[in-house]
Amino acid sequence: MDVEKIRGDFPVLRSGVTYFDSACMSLKPTQVIEAQDEYYEEYSGCAGRSLHKLGKKTEEKFEEARQKVAKFVGASPNEVVWTRNTTEAINLVARTLDFSKKNKVITSNMEHHSALLPFLIPAKQGTLKLEYVLADEEGLTHAEDWKKKIDEQTRLVVVHQTTNSVGTRAPLKEIIKAAHDNDALVLVDAAQGVPHVETNFRKLDADFVAFSGHKMLGPTGTGCLLAKAKLLEELPTFMVGGETVEHVSLDSVTFLKPPQKFEAGLQNYAGAIGLGAACDYLTKIGMRNVEEHEKKLAKKLFEALSDVGTKIYGPAEVKNRSARAAFNVGKARPHEVAMMLDKIANIAVRSGVFCAEPAMIHLGAPQGAVRASLYLYNTEAEVDYFRETLEKIVKLY
Amino acid sequence: MICFVALFVFVVLAIFSAKYRPLAKEAFDCVFKRLTLRPCESGLDERIKATLVSSVFSKSPKAAAALNKHFELFSWVLTLLMIVSLAYSTVGVYNWWAYGNCNGPDQTGFCVFNALTGEHTQYSDCGANATVHPLTPPTSLRGEASGPESAKVVLIEFGCFECKYTKQAEPTVKQVLQDYSGRIRFIFKPFPLPTHNNSRVAEQAALCAAKQGKFWEYKDALFANQDALNTGERTVLMEAAAQAGVNESALAACLDSNETASEVEAFYQEGAASGLYGTPTFFINNRSLVGPKPFESFKTIIDEELAK
């Protein structure tokens, strides 16, 4: 994997920024930008409704993008529902799944707000029962704890593939097996997983997988819900309107087959086509190569943070983590450190509670932390530069 | 503490640019919470601190470290300086209101409020290439006069009929003459500023009107028609004459004969000899005021002169 060549594909990097905020937003390669531009400049039509050439080409490219995404994650195209992002995908499941017979939902205290709130709100309203698996002090959840919580009353298990806060990974295989043994469904929040590790929907055997395009080199406003075809058939519609229906009369509606019945209104064609190009890009590089590269970066990153003397949240062992770290510098407030990294050295990191406040409280950082999250375009030299800058900042305190 | 300074700074900036308004609101929220003994949650203080420390860091890491460690003390110092400067500004505003100069009575230093408003300025821009230098009181009492000759205080005005600042000073002059009626003598000396092309002929016309005993009425009419004066049309002078009750044919004949031209030139030379750099310029006995000063400026000097 030629990182320098890869870096040449990312126009933003030409500004000289050291971009360590990919867990929030990944940068976009020229190939993705051009795929979107091509739609706008050459065939900007409506898919599925207009019969002219532009409309047909849009339809063709839009569905081709669905196929690319499906192939990338090991799913069938009819199992891929376009959404705006992971949040919408999770809300789709939360709002449409039938909880009338079994209403228990199991999740953990390490989840992103987007995975938590769609279930916390109905739980507060009494329409479902929400139980938590608590992570250990390092932020890891253990299979035994999930198994203890999952029982015959469980309707759905909501679990992260990788936490966005500290990058820990959940024991998905065991969780999914335990859930299925109890006739429960599993929704995996893969927003931080799909972009970084090879993910195969079929092999994973989860019932639902949600992820965003913008974290995997794709355009903003793109995301997917992967769901087993049978489940999509059973689920009622989420939002309705144009595109979701086959026939409408004043007293009846016949909906399209999934996934189209969940895709209300004019879709984000340019975004979907861009996400397809992002899948092509990542496929060409190879997700295993991406993963290996990130492992090297993670090792160097954690060594740097440890040597500099920061307080690192999450497990001590790098093998249990992705190339991201949440840390604090002495008594310095996280936003201060993040701003100094930006202003002193043009290093972009995230600070705060990362939309995972319960997780950060659990890890002992209620005021938040600084998060450095790396991706395929980052280099070990950048980690060295980050380390040097951080050393200077530590001396300020 | 830095939020207190931020509030003041952002409020001032917000007056001139909308982009600072959210920051001003944020600073206000932060200050309000501090005053009600709650923590500032917006993070504005953190951002300001990080920005300042980072800026200093590029110049001197040691200074940045010191600033970072003692930032609260630094914030207090800034806040106190702000309070002191606010107090000074308040005094300045009072002086400006009371004396027409933010530095206090009888001061001629630069006053920012004058520069901001363009009013009561020490430097009337009616004068070309105006420079400030000491003025010499005129030696003669020639000119159109009113009030008792024996008055203890003589108020001399060098004015230009085409100068907007001379016109602007008119209400104040009238108020002074009314309030000090019978106690001061007022002498108006026409001063045709070279930058105003139609001023000299207007002043000649005013002196022609004086020959008919209608100077003051004609002066008011000229100021009332000041905008039209710029056209240089004689009809404007004639319309003013009609409004002031001046015999138009006599005025026209006077102008045609150019008989008051030498008088106007004499006033101009007198003003130049006094070192005038703009109009209106007032001399109250031997003390000068330049520009359309507020009533209080005249009152202060006149009262002092009367008390002598």
Side-chain angles (χ1 to χ4, degrees):
Chain A
M1 182 173 147
D2 186 347
V3 183
E4 282 311 314
K5 188 170 176 293
I6 287 170
R7 286 174 68 80
D9 291 333
F10 290 83
V12 172
L13 293 176
R14 288 176 210 150
S15 69
V17 66
T18 300
Y19 191 76
F20 281 7
D21 193 19
S22 295
C24 184
M25 171 68 72
S26 68
L27 302 180
K28 320 301 173 202
T30 309
Q31 289 84 339
V32 169
I33 297 165
E34 284 176 351
Q36 283 204 103
D37 287 351
E38 196 180 287
Y39 165 73
Y40 286 120
E41 290 172 4
E42 294 178 20
Y43 58 94
S44 184
C46 283
R49 37 184 113 177
S50 303
L51 294 176
H52 52 71
K53 291 187 201 73
L54 301 183
K56 276 185 172 178
K57 182 150 188 189
T58 303
E59 172 74 17
E60 182 190 311
K61 290 281 184 183
F62 184 54
E63 288 308 321
E64 184 184 285
R66 195 192 302 271
Q67 286 168 12
K68 285 177 182 179
V69 172
K71 192 177 172 192
F72 183 73
V73 291
S76 298
N78 65 345
E79 292 173 319
V80 177
V81 179
W82 294 117
T83 61
R84 282 182 299 162
N85 42 45
T86 308
T87 306
E88 185 177 294
I90 294 173
N91 271 278
L92 192 159
V93 177
R95 300 286 176 92
T96 57
L97 197 62
D98 180 13
F99 290 100
S100 61
K101 290 176 187 156
K102 296 204 288 182
N103 73 342
K104 191 195 278 189
V105 175
I106 310 291
T107 189
S108 82
N109 60 341
M110 292 300 291
E111 306 304 325
H112 190 281
H113 292 167
S114 292
L116 191 60
L117 292 177
F119 302 98
L120 181 61
I121 304 298
K124 289 283 173 196
Q125 292 166 342
T127 54
L128 57 80
K129 192 178 170 191
L130 186 61
E131 291 188 6
Y132 299 104
V133 169
L134 299 180
D136 64 19
E137 58 188 19
E138 292 186 322
L140 287 164
T141 59
H142 298 283
E144 299 72 37
D145 296 326
W146 287 96
K147 285 176 190 169
K148 278 181 204 164
K149 286 280 180 189
I150 299 166
D151 59 18
E152 289 180 349
Q153 291 306 307
T154 306
R155 173 66 168 144
L156 182 69
V157 176
V158 182
V159 59
H160 55 271
Q161 186 178 14
T162 305
T163 56
N164 77 310
S165 51
V166 289
T168 50
R169 290 169 186 152
L172 286 182
K173 269 188 182 175
E174 292 93 330
I175 293 168
I176 292 166
K177 185 175 184 311
H180 289 169
D181 287 348
N182 285 280
D183 203 21
L185 301 174
V186 179
L187 163 60
V188 176
D189 170 6
Q192 303 293 344
V194 168
H196 302 278
V197 294
E198 195 173 62
T199 305
N200 187 294
F201 180 59
R202 196 77 61 228
K203 285 183 189 164
L204 187 64
D205 198 28
D207 302 283
F208 304 102
V209 170
F211 61 95
S212 296
H214 68 270
K215 296 186 195 296
M216 51 181 287
L217 314 183
T220 56
T222 60
C224 293
L225 173 69
L226 307 179
K228 287 178 176 170
K230 188 173 169 291
L231 283 167
L232 283 182
E233 292 281 355
E234 290 169 7
L235 289 180
T237 52
F238 175 43
M239 288 190 288
V240 289
E243 286 292 303
T244 55
V245 289
E246 200 170 334
H247 298 292
V248 181
S249 70
L250 292 181
D251 51 14
S252 70
V253 180
T254 309
F255 287 104
L256 286 166
K257 288 191 174 305
Q260 282 81 8
K261 79 168 182 180
F262 296 101
E263 295 168 355
L266 194 122
Q267 295 296 292
N268 180 4
Y269 305 127
I273 291 161
L275 181 52
C279 290
D280 281 346
Y281 189 88
L282 288 169
T283 303
K284 195 175 168 190
I285 289 167
M287 285 309 291
R288 290 203 176 155
N289 291 330
V290 172
E291 207 175 334
E292 278 307 309
H293 176 64
E294 286 193 32
K295 269 184 190 169
K296 281 184 209 162
L297 292 176
K299 186 170 179 292
K300 202 165 178 65
L301 176 68
F302 282 97
E303 278 172 6
L305 288 171
S306 181
D307 291 349
V308 170
T310 61
K311 159 76 180 157
I312 306 170
Y313 300 96
E317 280 193 67
V318 178
K319 70 173 185 179
N320 285 328
R321 325 185 58 157
S322 63
R324 81 190 51 186
F327 63 94
N328 270 320
V329 174
K331 288 179 182 174
R333 290 183 283 186
H335 292 323
E336 277 176 26
V337 176
M339 281 191 71
M340 284 186 199
L341 283 165
D342 178 42
K343 291 187 179 296
I344 293 172
N346 198 15
I347 297 172
V349 295
R350 169 89 187 267
S351 55
V353 293
F354 321 124
C355 295
E357 203 165 353
M360 295 311 290
I361 291 170
H362 177 76
L363 292 167
Q367 300 299 318
V370 184
R371 184 183 67 189
S373 53
L374 285 58
Y375 205 7
L376 74 165
Y377 37 69
N378 291 121
T379 65
E380 293 189 37
E382 283 184 310
V383 179
D384 287 335
Y385 178 58
F386 172 69
R387 175 195 180 126
E388 286 164 22
T389 310
L390 208 53
E391 277 171 351
K392 291 176 188 168
I393 291 174
V394 167
K395 283 180 189 165
L396 294 176
Y397 289 89
Chain B
M1 285 310 292
I2 199 70
C3 285
F4 286 85
V5 182
L7 175 63
F8 180 75
V9 172
F10 289 136
V11 162
V12 172
L13 290 173
I15 294 168
F16 303 102
S17 171
K19 74 174 181 178
Y20 292 104
R21 283 169 202 165
L23 286 168
K25 272 187 182 175
E26 212 178 311
F28 176 78
D29 181 58
C30 198
V31 166
F32 184 71
K33 283 191 171 151
R34 287 297 298 261
L35 289 174
T36 50
L37 305 176
R38 288 178 293 166
C40 170
E41 289 164 348
S42 72
L44 179 67
D45 50 346
E46 294 171 38
R47 280 178 277 146
I48 293 171
K49 181 182 174 187
T51 303
L52 292 176
V53 171
S54 302
S55 303
V56 175
F57 188 90
S58 58
K59 307 269 187 305
S60 163
K62 279 187 181 174
L67 176 63
N68 194 47
K69 276 181 185 158
H70 306 293
F71 192 77
E72 196 58 22
L73 175 68
F74 172 76
S75 303
W76 270 101
V77 170
L78 270 188
T79 307
L80 291 173
L81 284 173
M82 185 188 76
I83 291 167
V84 170
S85 65
L86 273 177
Y88 268 103
S89 299
T90 307
V91 171
V93 169
Y94 171 76
N95 282 337
W96 186 61
W97 171 78
Y99 308 111
N101 189 303
C102 45
N103 301 303
D106 294 329
Q107 298 294 312
T108 55
F110 175 74
C111 177
V112 70
F113 300 121
N114 289 342
L116 285 175
T117 62
E119 292 177 352
H120 310 311
T121 177
Q122 193 77 13
Y123 316 107
S124 165
D125 66 3
C126 281
N129 305 318
T131 53
V132 181
H133 49 79
L135 296 171
T136 310
T139 50
S140 88
L141 294 177
R142 282 187 308 112
E144 295 306 313
S146 69
E149 283 184 38
S150 58
K152 197 173 178 183
V153 174
V154 178
L155 170 61
I156 296 173
E157 177 184 0
F158 280 92
C160 165
F161 291 125
E162 211 181 338
C163 170
K164 65 177 181 178
Y165 294 101
T166 304
K167 182 182 176 183
Q168 201 176 318
E170 275 296 285
T172 311
V173 172
K174 283 194 162 64
Q175 191 186 344
V176 169
L177 296 181
Q178 186 182 323
D179 284 18
Y180 290 94
S181 175
R183 291 187 288 164
I184 64 170
R185 183 166 175 79
F186 176 59
I187 299 171
F188 186 89
K189 292 173 185 279
F191 186 82
L193 279 171
T195 49
H196 292 308
N197 297 332
N198 306 301
S199 175
R200 189 172 282 265
V201 68
E203 271 136 26
Q204 282 180 225
L207 294 182
C208 288
K211 291 184 187 300
Q212 296 179 38
K214 295 281 186 181
F215 176 81
W216 303 110
E217 293 86 341
Y218 193 63
K219 172 174 168 264
D220 288 346
L222 283 176
F223 281 130
N225 293 280
Q226 192 182 58
D227 291 342
L229 271 182
N230 297 331
T231 61
E233 300 287 337
R234 180 178 275 204
T235 50
V236 180
L237 299 175
M238 292 305 145
E239 279 170 22
Q243 289 164 18
V246 175
N247 183 305
E248 292 173 56
S249 54
L251 183 80
C254 176
L255 280 173
D256 289 341
S257 68
N258 232 7
E259 64 182 85
T260 55
S262 58
E263 281 181 76
V264 172
E265 178 59 21
F267 283 125
Y268 178 75
Q269 292 302 332
E270 190 181 1
S274 292
L276 259 64
Y277 49 83
T279 55
T281 294
F282 299 93
F283 291 93
I284 304 170
N285 289 352
N286 289 326
R287 295 162 70 176
S288 62
L289 283 176
V290 182
K293 297 288 183 189
F295 175 77
E296 286 73 20
S297 301
F298 289 91
K299 185 177 185 301
T300 305
I301 298 175
I302 292 171
D303 287 347
E304 285 173 6
E305 291 297 317
L306 286 172
K308 280 182 183 172

